[in-house]
Every structure is written in structure tokens, then in C-alpha cells.
Amino acid sequence: MNLDTGKLRALTLDLDDTLWPIWPTIARAESALQAWLQRHAPRVTERFDLAAMRADREAVARERPDWAHDLSALRRESIRRLLVAAGETEALLDAAFSVFLAERQCVDLYADSLPALQRLAARWPLFALSNGNADLVRIGLQPWFRGSLAAREFGVGKPDPRIFAAACERLGCAPNEVLHVGDDLRLDVHGALDAGMQAAWVRRDGEGREDDVIGAGVRCWQGPDLLALADRLGV
């Protein structure tokens, strides 16, 4: 699809798996949490290895679909359950979650992310729109963004059109004047298009033909990274 750059006044960007790979980050955060629990709540790690801790986190997500927009709540509940099951005090919950959350902010940016953000932010206001719990200030990317909106803060997450509409309102733009950039076909591309926005699909794996993967009639830009998008936008 040819983007309507003549109308473009702002960009919203997904964070996890768009600016950095999320699973290496989560793995490090879980390992840091496990190490902290081994020192401060050893009965948890005696009973649950890392695989069992991850399985419990997934079980909480299945049991609490009403928390799907709040990954912090899901993680906290999982830690609480592990503490209780192992006979440790729930008073450790806040400290344990803080260890996980701090390490979760230690991301490794894709090589293209920072130079692309610099180019894009020099031309348009950028706004972070995420279902995750990344903190742009702690990560060090705040200077490139005019603002951010997380599903946890808003109450619903992508692909719900309401969170996209809220981002457009905060930017002071009509939906068709905003390009949403993300890695997930359902959450980012279809969510943005359903909200009346333009969409860019960052497909780092590069697999599949456009019609095979996106679906006939779904119109969006797609490319291998953010620098390719910056090139396409002429910045």
C-alpha cells in the first residue's frame, strides 16, 4: 500500500518486538527474579524451577482474562501465588516484583531502532502505544516521544479501537492522520486499521507473501525494519 504521507501528522509506535526483542528481556527478568527469590524466599525456588514459574504465569493469564490488558497485575499475581504455595510471606511481593520490573526495562534495541527514531522524530511527533509494561524513561527513549499510553493505564489494550482512538485524541489528530507502526498483524495492523488509522507492519522475519499473510483487501505498508519505514516516508 502507498501510505498517504500527505495527510500524515503523527506516528504511534508499538514497543515490544518493534523496538527491541521482548523474549530475551523477559527471560533475563525471570532469571533475576528467580535469583532474588533464591536468596529471600528460598522455599519458592526449592519447589518451583524456572519452567514451573513460567507455567504458573501462563495459568494466571488463562484464569484472569479480565487482566489481559495488565501484564503487571498478571505477573504480580503469579509471584504472590508462588510465595503462598511455598509457605513464604506475601510481604515479599512488592520487592520481588520490583526486581522483575527493573530488569524488564533492560532491553537490547534492534540496531535500526535508535537511528530510525531519530529520523522519524525529527519530522513527526511520536507516541508510544503498548500492551506491555515498558517504561520509556527508564529505558532511555523518552526524548524521542511526545507521550505514551499503555493498556494497563487505559483499561483495554490493542486491538481494541478505543485505545487507538485515545492515542489520536492525545496527539490532537484525526485517525487517518496517524500512522501506527507495530510488529503484530492482529494487535497492531488490524487494530489500527479498524480504528481508521494508517498502518505499518514491521516484519523482521521477512517470511510470506503479502496476500498470504496479511489477507486480501487489507491495506498496509510492510517492511523488514524501522529504517526501511523511514526511507519509505522520506525522512
Side-chain angles (χ1 to χ4, degrees), residues 15-124:
L15 300 176
D16 295 330
D17 285 332
T18 297
L19 298 183
W20 56 77
I22 186 54
W23 289 115
T25 304
I26 296 300
R28 288 195 300 268
E30 290 176 336
S31 294
L33 171 62
Q34 184 186 40
W36 187 91
L37 289 169
Q38 192 166 17
R39 294 191 301 272
H40 299 279
R43 283 177 289 185
V44 173
T45 54
E46 289 169 4
R47 180 168 176 180
F48 302 100
D49 62 12
L50 192 55
M53 292 170 63
R54 289 174 177 168
D56 185 77
R57 162 63 177 78
E58 294 170 0
V60 173
R62 291 192 298 271
E63 294 165 15
R64 295 303 305 261
D66 55 315
W67 286 354
H69 66 285
D70 191 343
L71 301 186
S72 291
L74 292 173
R75 180 68 62 174
R76 284 179 61 88
E77 175 60 12
S78 176
I79 296 170
R80 187 196 68 78
R81 287 176 20 153
L82 294 171
L83 289 168
V84 171
E88 297 282 6
T89 175
E90 289 186 56
L92 294 171
L93 174 57
D94 288 343
F97 178 69
S98 293
V99 168
F100 173 87
L101 191 62
E103 190 66 28
R104 188 259 184 271
Q105 311 308 322
C106 299
V107 303
D108 296 321
L109 296 175
Y110 291 118
D112 59 284
S113 294
L114 187 55
L117 288 176
Q118 292 169 338
R119 288 168 59 180
L120 295 169
R123 176 64 179 82
W124 295 285

Side-chain angles (χ1 to χ4, degrees), residues 1-3 179 182 185 189 199-215 218-225 228-229 232:
M1 173 188 177
N2 291 323
L3 297 174
L179 172 66
L185 177 61
V189 173
W201 188 16
V202 179
R203 297 184 55 234
R204 296 182 182 277
D205 59 16
E207 297 179 358
R209 297 179 311 179
E210 180 173 339
D211 288 344
D212 290 340
V213 182
I214 297 178
V218 178
R219 296 168 59 82
C220 78
W221 177 90
Q222 64 170 322
D225 58 35
L229 175 62
R232 170 63 187 84

Side-chain angles (χ1 to χ4, degrees), residues 107-198:
V107 303
D108 296 321
L109 296 175
Y110 291 118
D112 59 284
S113 294
L114 187 55
L117 288 176
Q118 292 169 338
R119 288 168 59 180
L120 295 169
R123 176 64 179 82
W124 295 285
L126 307 182
F127 191 94
L129 188 59
S130 176
N131 283 2
N133 50 10
D135 184 329
L136 292 177
V137 174
R138 295 170 75 174
I139 290 170
L141 293 179
Q142 182 67 27
W144 310 112
F145 288 85
R146 294 284 184 90
S148 63
L149 182 60
R152 179 173 183 265
E153 167 194 350
F154 186 65
V156 297
K158 299 176 296 181
D160 193 302
R162 290 174 292 177
I163 194 169
F164 291 98
C168 294
E169 289 172 7
R170 295 190 184 193
L171 286 163
C173 298
N176 66 352
E177 296 173 329
V178 181
L179 172 66
H180 179 69
V181 183
D183 71 287
D184 190 283
L185 177 61
R186 183 179 69 89
L187 301 181
D188 293 305
V189 173
H190 286 287
L193 293 174
D194 289 346
M197 299 167 67
Q198 301 186 57

